[in-house]
């Protein structure tokens, strides 16, 4: 934290721009601290408000716009990727999409203050095809609120900046500990999952070339084949593709779905 | 689970990515299988 403050005092505008931009595109960079230091710099006349504020706003809008475009062009893939770690990816995607649809506008305004959500809001707005002007208006409001809040804190409490920095340091240490505990917990969960699913590794496997040969073989063999798509989440994009002739099986609704599968045929399962 | 329930199931190694990489035929997902998520448009 001290390092960041020292950098800002030396390189001012460039560092504020870089840190705010980096945070807005998802890097774990303390942009809030840069803004607090920027506010203190304005108060001590080392930096100019008329440059700091527009610069920070431009950096944030630029980063958010890039993520918005990413969401727009990747469709639901990004949300699908992020929901892969959820216990029920299908429910995660549906819930996230519905929640953002209901509260997306206010979420965009306050998202900057919520770690995790701040990086997700812009690409979700893109995925959900929010109009560009509307996105820009709401995002600019959120960015301005964020920049002014932290900038004002630095401006008003410049004399207490050292104390604030110590507070940030303490919070940073606590956050580091939380991250370490969470990482260890996640690894333990993955090991437990691996052990639990060991039994399923005995399921016979087939290479794609072998399956392709079977499909190209005599009609009798071909008719015994059922290819089943068991990807953990459904099809959300018009451009989704699957293996030709395969059928969809929803893994989160297995009991019902199994009633539709024939027991007298060979079932070939695949995911992404 | 499929095997426990009496299905003669196999797993395709590498999944869709391997199938696509090998250049085997794909098809677009039928409209009826698409899950409609809410959008602002």
């Amino acid at each position: 934290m001290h390092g960041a403050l020292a950098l800002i005092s030396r390189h001012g505008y460039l560092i504020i721009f870089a840190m705010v931009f980096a945070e807005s595109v998802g890097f774990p960079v303390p942009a809030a601290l840069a803004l607090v230091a920027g506010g203190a710099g304005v108060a001590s006349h080392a930096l100019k408000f008329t440059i700091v504020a527009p610069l920070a706003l431009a950096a944030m809008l630029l980063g958010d716009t890039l993520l918005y475009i990413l969401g727009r062009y990747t469709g639901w893939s990004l949300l699908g990727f992020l929901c892969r770690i959820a216990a029920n990816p299908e429910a995660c995607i549906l819930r996230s999409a519905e929640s953002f649809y209901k509260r997306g506008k206010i979420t965009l305004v306050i998202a900057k203050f919520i770690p995790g959500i701040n990086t997700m809001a812009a690409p979700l707005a893109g995925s959900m095809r929010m109009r560009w002007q509307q996105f820009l208006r709401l995002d600019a409001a959120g960015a301005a609120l964020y920049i002014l809040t932290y900038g004002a804190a630095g401006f008003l409490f410049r004399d207490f900046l050292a104390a604030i920095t110590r507070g940030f340091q303490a919070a940073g240490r606590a956050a580091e500990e939380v991250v370490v505990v969470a990482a260890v917990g996640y690894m333990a969960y993955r090991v437990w999952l691996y052990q639990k699913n060991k039994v399923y590794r005995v399921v016979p496997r087939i290479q794609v070339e072998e399956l392709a040969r079977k499909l190209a073989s005599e009609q009798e063999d071909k008719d015994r084949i059922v290819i089943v798509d068991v990807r953990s989440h459904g099809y959300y994009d018009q451009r989704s593709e699957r293996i030709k002739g395969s059928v969809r099986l929803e893994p989160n609704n297995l009991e019902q779905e199994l009633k539709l599968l024939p027991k007298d045929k060979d079932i070939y399962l695949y995911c992404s | 689970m499929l095997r426990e329930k009496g299905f003669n199931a196999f797993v395709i190694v590498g999944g869709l990515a391997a199938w696509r990489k090998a250049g085997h035929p794909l098809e677009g997902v039928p409209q009826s299988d698409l899950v409609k998520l809410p959008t602002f448009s």
Side-chain angles (χ1 to χ4, degrees):
Chain A
M1 296 289 180
H2 278 305
L5 285 174
L7 272 175
I8 286 165
S9 68
R10 278 201 299 275
H11 303 287
Y13 303 116
L14 178 65
I15 295 297
I16 289 174
F17 183 88
M19 288 177 78
V20 171
F21 175 76
E23 190 194 58
S24 69
V25 293
F27 289 103
V29 172
L33 180 65
L35 293 169
V36 169
V42 170
S44 61
H45 304 292
L47 301 172
K48 287 184 179 173
F49 174 77
T50 50
I51 299 178
V52 170
L55 200 67
L57 189 65
M60 196 159 274
L61 292 182
L62 183 64
D64 288 347
T65 300
L66 287 175
L67 290 185
Y68 171 88
I69 293 169
L70 188 72
R72 187 103 186 179
Y73 285 96
T74 58
W76 297 103
S77 310
L78 190 65
L79 186 57
F81 175 76
L82 291 166
C83 280
R84 280 171 67 176
I85 57 168
N88 185 338
E90 183 80 11
C92 168
I93 290 172
L94 291 172
R95 207 173 44 242
S96 303
E98 281 168 5
S99 171
F100 195 80
Y101 183 70
K102 282 181 196 158
R103 293 179 278 272
K105 292 170 186 171
I106 188 70
T107 302
L108 271 174
V109 177
I110 60 166
K112 302 287 173 206
F113 296 92
I114 311 167
I117 304 295
N118 59 346
T119 308
M120 274 308 300
L124 258 180
S127 296
M128 297 181 75
R129 306 208 154 267
M130 181 180 276
R131 279 183 298 113
W132 160 249
Q133 293 91 337
Q134 187 181 30
F135 164 75
L136 200 61
R137 203 168 53 242
L138 294 166
D139 194 52
L145 185 65
Y146 183 76
I147 290 164
L148 289 176
T149 301
Y150 282 104
F155 186 87
L156 294 173
F157 302 109
R158 61 189 179 278
D159 295 333
F160 304 106
L161 205 55
I164 292 170
T165 308
R166 279 196 297 277
F168 271 123
Q169 280 179 316
R173 276 195 297 275
E176 281 168 17
E177 285 166 15
V178 168
V179 168
V180 169
V181 169
V184 170
Y186 180 70
M187 283 167 66
Y189 168 72
R190 297 298 301 189
V191 170
W192 173 78
L193 215 56
Y194 176 80
Q195 294 293 339
K196 186 184 158 199
N197 293 333
K198 240 178 174 175
V199 64
Y200 299 120
R201 291 181 205 290
V202 295
V203 175
R205 292 162 177 246
I206 185 167
Q207 300 291 333
V208 290
E209 293 303 335
E210 192 183 340
L211 179 59
R213 270 198 302 276
K214 280 179 183 278
L215 282 170
S217 67
E218 296 298 316
Q219 196 64 31
E220 199 178 319
D221 274 356
K222 200 173 162 183
D223 287 346
R224 281 187 56 80
I225 295 173
V226 178
I227 305 175
V228 179
D229 178 353
V230 289
R231 279 180 277 182
S232 58
H233 54 83
Y235 309 122
Y236 306 111
D237 286 316
Q238 298 282 342
R239 295 164 296 177
S240 297
E241 286 184 321
R242 64 184 187 185
I243 292 178
K244 192 175 179 186
S246 60
V247 294
R248 167 82 178 141
L249 186 146
E250 169 54 62
N252 300 301
N253 187 27
L254 212 48
E255 291 293 335
Q256 292 299 316
E257 298 273 318
L258 287 185
K259 291 175 186 165
L260 305 173
L261 285 182
K263 282 195 173 175
D264 58 340
K265 294 193 175 181
D266 296 337
I267 313 287
Y268 294 93
L269 309 165
Y270 73 93
C271 62
S272 54
Chain B
M1 186 175 171
L2 284 169
R3 290 233 151 213
E4 283 169 8
K5 290 190 179 292
F7 291 97
N8 194 26
F10 303 82
V11 171
I12 302 173
V13 178
L16 182 63
W19 185 265
R20 179 181 281 129
K21 196 175 171 186
H24 297 306
L26 298 166
E27 66 181 12
V29 169
Q31 290 291 317
S32 55
D33 280 2
L34 281 172
V35 178
K36 192 164 171 56
L37 291 175
T39 61
F40 291 104
S41 60

